[in-house]
Amino acid sequence: MPVLMDDVAGRAEPRPAPGGATGSPRRGWWTSRRRDQLAGLLFVTPQLVGTALFVLLPLGLVVWYSLHEWNVLADTFDFVGTENYRELIDDPKLPGVLRSTLFFSVGLVVFNLALALLLAVLLNQRLRGTVVFRTLFFSPVVVSLVAWTIVWGFLLQDNGGVNGVAGAVGLDGPNWLRGEWTALLSVIVVQVVKNVGLNMVLFLAALQGVPAELYEAARVEGASRWTQFRRITVPLISPTILLTSIITVVGALQVFAQIAVLTQGGPGTSTTVLVYYLYQQAFQFHQFGYGSTLSVLLFLIVLTLTVVQWRMRRKWVFHEQ
Amino acid sequence: MRKRLTAVVALAAMLGLSACGGGDSADSDGPVSLRMTTWSANEAHLKLFNEIAAEYQSSHPNIAKITFDPIPFESYTTTLTTQIAGGNPPDLAWVLENAAPDFVSSGALLPLDETLRKTDGYAFDELAPAATKLWQADGKLYGYPFSTSPFGIFVNTDLVKAAGAKSPAELIATNAWTWENAVTTASAVAAGTGKAGLVVRDFDYKGWDNLSTIWTGWGAQAWSADGKTCGFNATEMVDAMTFLHRAIFTAKALPGPGTAADFFAGEAGMTITQISRASLLEKQKFGWDLVPLPAGPKGAYSVIGQGGMGVLKKGKHADAAADFLAFLTNPANSAKLAQFFPPPRTPLLTAATLAKTNPLLKPAQLQSVVIDGIANGVVKPNHTGQAELSQAVRSALDPMWKADADVRAVLDGVCSAINPLLAK
């Protein structure tokens, strides 16, 4: 125990020997501080190696590839400098792709966060059966994404389940995946229903952390439910709103499987979002260099939006301290 | 600086390979393993391949293992290309006709002539020139066209009878098997049974190249033979597409966009597809028939889909793979493969020979659909850079799949979209 105490207090330095000698030079170098540093380094090394190999290196490679024209079949890899970036600026399809990406992302984020918050508020009540409903709304999160999307593909067909239900109540549903706006809306809805449960759970956790006394005090002061929600609930769960909005924005910009399975970017190019477009360029058209350039663009967009959201937190995220 | 960066990239690639790879190294002296990608996961197909592979291994102790790696058809070429890009190419691969120009012209495939010609008993000259044309460049053969399969129409005779319509067999007997009459029959099935009339399999309002099975009857083509001129706004194509548009939206002979119907599940009266699909009918309880494509305004015609087998130059054991390919496609094994895939060997292309290995099909069906089809057939559209072209056509054709579409204007739009690609 005394040794441990010494270690903890950082007093395990070798004491000078009489006459001023410090014992062996090795023992003098091997201090507890250095031992702690080494231990710390050993603990973080796997993570650092993993990050370097699987995050930084691929990121660097993508930037490197974006400076090349790479034809996989012909096995050519030619340095072209900024040629791919010039092509990016002149690409006539890119404005349409970015427009689709914007509409999809905004629609998804707004629908997802609004629905998740609404569900969380409703399921935060002390009523019978809320656990069952929480499970029901969360269950799509754990379903395989591709299987989920294939099933929705059948439901959204002209003669599918959604229009069958609409027909049962006298409505004539559209051909969801064949109309430009309905196709985009369909992909958004499929994605929202799939993942809304995750944000709902995060909101639920945040709501349960709001002190009940604040609501009691507000009620005594005569505040309405809406005022309580606006003045107490929203500010106190604002850190969670920030977190979920960042996660959802990043997720929205990276949506791929739903587009690939449901619409393949169509009809026309109405659902060709940036990730699907870069997939087409790299993996279908074999233009890996240009595909990498589009990846760099996507990375910069995600980075910019995340930094902007993070900086804006000072203005609207409530911190108790 | 550039050399250093290249070294970093090479190191990274090596790290990636060492992390993800496995199997034999290129310079290994020991037994080698071969991998072949296919787009068929059909048990009967794989069983036959494995039997042939086992026979080959018994006489080639240097081959430790031969595996057949099925990849879903929808993403086949993309997955194959990704495997090549990722440094994990298969040794052998099936290649679709629409990807053939890219694979053959790029030099991705090993020339096969020398290996095939020097293989004992291979009978290289039996390969029909019409079948090998797509797989040649500079006088060399880069792919063995293991399947040259004409499109025909499978008919659910029970549904046609239930609808009280004239069956294709009756129409053929009276020399009236035309597209007009085929659509009339399909329309009657749709109206009378509530099922779909005619399904162009694998089209689904996206895979437009399957429509060549219809428009070729009008003498239309997607682009000129030299691949330089768009054919979508030519009179023949406008006429064919106008006919098709009416068949979909006026006659309701084809299921509309966004409506699924599977012939092999008994949900449609007729379907346009290839004979290799006949195996899906083995356990069906409804009556069925196989007939050639109806005649168009330009008379009788046939359309062929092709699949080739190639050896990837970047594969780890290209020479061993070429040797196995020579065994897999020799006359004896070609005859075995013929039960699923019409072969390019002329002596095997007789109704009597094919009937031995195609018990589900009658000799008359094989003669009219397969033998005559191969003799007169036009290969489905193919072009270098087909994936990009295909995407551009699909996107530009989408406005046509509405009841009030202006067919000519849409087809002009298709040419505007693909002309820059054809000019490349």
Side-chain angles (χ1 to χ4, degrees):
Chain A
M1 271 322 263
V3 174
L4 186 62
M5 290 301 288
D6 272 356
D7 280 353
V8 170
R11 282 186 281 110
E13 298 281 340
R15 295 193 177 105
T22 56
S24 71
R26 184 163 183 78
R27 185 170 169 75
W29 180 84
W30 186 240
T31 61
S32 67
R33 169 184 277 239
R34 285 212 161 91
R35 199 166 60 226
D36 288 347
Q37 283 175 342
L38 180 67
L41 275 174
L42 285 174
F43 277 121
V44 297
T45 296
Q47 178 65 29
L48 284 177
V49 170
T51 304
L53 266 181
F54 300 114
V55 178
L56 298 178
L57 182 64
L59 199 59
L61 282 175
V62 165
V63 175
W64 175 239
Y65 294 153
S66 74
L67 303 174
H68 289 77
E69 191 170 303
W70 181 8
N71 186 326
V72 173
L73 292 181
D75 199 18
T76 55
F77 188 69
D78 301 320
F79 185 79
V80 293
T82 55
E83 188 58 40
N84 285 328
Y85 289 89
R86 265 194 292 260
E87 191 182 335
L88 185 77
I89 292 164
D90 296 337
D91 188 341
K93 290 179 189 161
L94 195 61
V97 169
L98 292 176
R99 200 165 43 243
S100 298
T101 310
L102 176 73
F103 288 146
F104 178 81
S105 303
V106 170
L108 180 67
V109 171
V110 169
F111 272 135
N112 190 325
L113 294 185
L115 185 61
L117 188 54
L118 178 68
L119 287 172
V121 169
L122 292 176
L123 296 176
N124 195 35
Q125 314 298 317
R126 287 181 185 166
L127 297 172
R128 295 184 75 180
T130 50
V131 174
V132 175
F133 281 105
R134 285 177 198 174
T135 310
L136 276 178
F137 286 117
F138 187 76
S139 56
V141 175
V142 296
V143 173
S144 152
L145 177 60
V146 173
W148 173 263
T149 311
I150 288 172
V151 170
W152 271 98
F154 284 112
L155 292 175
L156 289 166
Q157 281 179 351
D158 199 21
N159 58 346
V162 172
N163 281 350
V165 172
V169 293
L171 296 173
D172 188 15
N175 197 346
W176 294 99
L177 299 174
R178 299 297 310 182
E180 294 201 354
W181 285 104
T182 54
L184 194 65
L185 181 68
S186 301
V187 182
I188 290 173
V189 169
V190 169
Q191 175 72 351
V192 166
V193 180
K194 171 83 175 70
N195 279 341
V196 74
L198 190 61
N199 284 345
M200 180 196 78
V201 166
L202 293 171
F203 281 136
L204 261 174
L207 286 172
Q208 285 167 4
V210 179
E213 312 88 82
L214 293 178
Y215 293 116
E216 283 166 20
R219 275 197 293 273
V220 169
E221 293 289 329
S224 66
R225 278 185 170 264
W226 173 243
T227 305
Q228 289 174 41
F229 177 75
R230 208 159 45 91
R231 295 291 177 86
I232 299 172
T233 309
V234 172
L236 286 177
I237 66 166
S238 55
T240 306
I241 295 176
L242 174 71
L243 170 74
T244 50
S245 63
I246 289 176
I247 293 172
T248 311
V249 166
V250 172
L253 288 164
Q254 295 178 345
V255 71
F256 171 77
Q258 297 88 327
I259 303 281
V261 174
L262 286 179
T263 64
Q264 293 170 22
T269 52
S270 60
T271 56
T272 305
V273 295
L274 193 51
V275 173
Y276 192 74
Y277 187 54
L278 80 85
Y279 159 78
Q280 285 183 324
Q281 292 292 335
F283 297 101
Q284 292 189 322
F285 307 162
H286 310 149
Q287 293 171 7
F288 280 82
Y290 189 55
S292 300
T293 310
L294 290 165
S295 301
V296 172
L297 174 67
L298 177 64
F299 172 75
L300 292 175
I301 290 174
V302 172
L303 183 69
T304 306
L305 285 177
T306 307
V307 169
V308 167
Q309 281 175 296
W310 186 249
R311 286 189 169 264
M312 279 174 62
R313 82 190 189 283
R314 292 177 193 146
K315 291 196 175 174
W316 63 271
V317 174
F318 175 76
H319 296 285
E320 274 187 88
Q321 61 271 43
Chain B
M1 178 64 181
R2 204 173 146 184
K3 275 187 179 173
R4 196 177 296 173
L5 279 171
T6 309
V8 170
V9 173
L11 177 66
M14 283 162 61
L15 279 171
L17 282 176
S18 60
C20 309
D24 330 282
S25 65
D27 55 357
S28 166
D29 294 328
V32 299
S33 297
L34 298 177
R35 181 170 69 93
M36 176 169 176
T37 53
T38 73
W39 61 74
S40 170
N42 183 305
E43 280 181 26
H45 297 176
L46 295 176
K47 183 170 176 278
L48 176 60
F49 287 134
N50 283 315
E51 282 170 6
I52 295 173
E55 190 186 341
Y56 180 73
Q57 281 178 258
S58 65
S59 58
H60 291 75
N62 61 320
I63 306 296
K65 194 164 72 170
I66 300 174
T67 50
F68 297 92
D69 183 10
I71 295 170
F73 181 81
E74 299 74 31
S75 59
Y76 181 81
T77 304
T78 306
T79 307
L80 176 60
T81 313
T82 309
Q83 290 187 2
I84 297 169
N88 182 34
D91 299 286
L92 302 104
W94 287 12
V95 179
L96 266 170
E97 78 277 305
N98 61 18
D102 282 337
F103 274 80
V104 170
S105 66
S106 65
L109 301 174
L110 195 75
L112 298 170
D113 311 60
E114 201 181 323
T115 308
L116 299 185
R117 283 183 189 279
K118 77 179 184 191
T119 300
D120 283 343
Y122 192 80
F124 186 86
D125 294 333
E126 283 182 6
L127 305 185
T132 55
K133 191 178 168 191
L134 185 62
W135 306 91
Q136 288 182 318
D138 305 323
K140 289 186 176 174
L141 185 71
Y142 288 88
Y144 172 88
F146 73 96
S147 176
T148 300
S149 187
F151 284 81
I153 294 191
F154 284 96
V155 183
N156 183 326
T157 50
D158 290 350
L159 280 182
V160 173
K161 197 183 288 179
K166 279 195 176 177
S167 73
E170 287 172 305
L171 291 166
I172 289 169
T174 57
N175 208 22
W177 182 228
T178 62
W179 268 112
E180 288 288 349
N181 290 332
V183 162
T184 303
T185 296
S187 186
V189 169
T193 67
K195 306 274 185 179
L198 170 70
V199 173
V200 183
R201 194 169 170 88
D202 299 324
F203 165 49
D204 194 25
Y205 296 86
K206 292 174 190 140
W208 57 269
D209 56 342
N210 290 294
L211 295 180
S212 64
T213 55
I214 297 174
W215 76 51
T216 306
W218 275 253
Q221 50 185 1
W223 37 74
S224 56
D226 65 2
K228 302 281 186 199
T229 311
C230 176
F232 277 94
N233 56 0
T235 308
E236 295 86 353
M237 184 66 88
V238 174
D239 290 347
M241 289 297 205
T242 303
F243 172 84
L244 178 66
H245 191 269
R246 282 197 202 121
I248 296 167
F249 294 101
T250 308
K252 312 280 184 193
L254 282 78
T259 307
D262 182 6
F263 172 86
F264 297 96
E267 296 168 354
M270 294 187 274
T271 189
I272 303 174
T273 190
Q274 290 163 293
I275 67 157
S276 55
R277 307 281 188 174
S279 59
L280 296 171
L281 289 164
E282 205 167 5
K283 291 174 185 166
Q284 289 302 343
K285 289 178 182 162
F286 58 79
W288 61 273
D289 193 4
L290 172 65
V291 296
L293 295 173
K298 292 281 169 77
Y301 68 101
S302 173
V303 176
I304 295 167
Q306 273 199 323
M309 288 179 187
V311 172
L312 272 298
K313 252 188 204 168
K314 288 182 81 178
K316 291 169 191 161
H317 309 289
D319 290 338
D323 195 60
F324 172 61
L325 181 66
F327 180 79
L328 181 64
T329 62
N330 67 24
N333 289 326
S334 284
K336 292 177 190 169
L337 293 171
Q339 66 183 287
F340 304 115
F341 313 108
R345 289 182 179 277
T346 44
L348 296 175
L349 285 173
T350 66
T353 311
L354 292 179
K356 285 180 198 164
T357 49
N358 287 279
L360 288 174
L361 300 174
K362 298 171 199 147
Q365 290 172 327
L366 289 164
Q367 181 65 46
S368 63
V369 179
V370 182
I371 312 298
D372 297 348
I374 291 174
N376 310 313
V378 175
V379 180
K380 278 172 70 185
N382 58 82
H383 199 286
T384 48
Q386 171 106 354
E388 193 171 3
L389 264 171
S390 193
Q391 176 62 27
V393 173
R394 183 198 65 73
S395 175
L397 267 182
D398 272 337
M400 197 158 88
W401 311 127
K402 291 174 185 165
D404 57 351
D406 180 340
V407 174
R408 177 173 283 281
V410 172
L411 293 173
D412 280 337
V414 173
C415 281
S416 301
I418 67 169
N419 274 334
L421 299 172
L422 295 177
K424 272 186 185 175

